[in-house]
Amino acid sequence: MLKIHPATSHDAPILLSLIRGLAAFEKKPSAVVATEQDLLRDAFGPQPKFRALIAEWKGEPAGYASFFHFYSTYQGKSALFLEDLFVLESFRGNGIGMALLSSVAKLAVDEGCFGLRWEVLDWNKPAIAFYEKLGATFL
């Protein structure tokens, strides 16, 4: 049923397609200017700028999470910033978003991070409700 795996260079086309799906959901379909080559360089090159997890439902790409480290001089350690958490509409309601978020949170714990942060658009009421249900603190 559900399989979550770290994105590899072979997943660049799928990742880009999912990124475009998020942009369409956010009513900004033309905002994505990233290319597969950009993703290959920045996620899988010699100095990765971000990482991603791909969720597959019954073998089909269903969603993704992208994230990266940031550093707190106050904490003296890093945390993860969740850049994107997205599930294609046809796969929603299967717990995929929760599983992706849990996977990123587990990585944060395993890597000794002090926390996990993200932003959510103020009009995205379903996402806000999702995070509130988890007990997230809004800054």
Side-chain angles (χ1 to χ4, degrees):
M1 295 241 308
L2 177 62
K3 179 184 174 193
I4 295 176
H5 64 86
T8 68
S9 59
H10 300 292
D11 294 314
I14 293 167
L15 185 56
L16 185 56
S17 175
L18 291 166
I19 291 167
R20 287 182 177 140
L22 173 60
F25 171 77
E26 291 182 344
K27 301 170 181 56
K28 301 184 284 185
S30 61
V32 178
V33 297
T35 66
E36 285 182 32
Q37 290 72 30
D38 294 328
L39 299 180
L40 289 167
R41 178 193 65 228
D42 294 336
F44 312 109
Q47 295 181 351
K49 309 285 189 269
F50 75 99
R51 294 182 284 168
L53 299 175
I54 303 284
E56 295 179 355
W57 185 261
K58 298 180 182 176
E60 289 186 59
Y64 78 105
S66 65
F67 52 95
F68 54 87
H69 280 275
F70 71 93
Y71 190 81
S72 169
T73 55
Y74 283 23
Q75 294 288 325
K77 56 171 92 170
S78 67
L80 289 181
F81 186 85
L82 179 65
E83 177 68 16
D84 296 334
L85 178 65
F86 178 69
V87 177
L88 292 167
E89 187 172 359
S90 60
F91 295 97
R92 293 182 191 153
N94 292 306
I96 297 169
M98 178 66 77
L100 281 165
L101 183 59
S102 296
S103 295
V104 175
K106 182 176 182 335
L107 286 170
V109 169
D110 291 349
E111 295 173 9
C113 294
F114 75 86
L116 174 63
R117 290 189 179 168
W118 60 88
E119 296 176 359
V120 65
L121 297 170
D122 60 357
W123 60 262
N124 192 345
K125 302 301 181 202
I128 292 168
F130 172 78
Y131 294 122
E132 285 178 335
K133 184 175 141 183
L134 298 175
T137 303
F138 286 80
L139 304 175

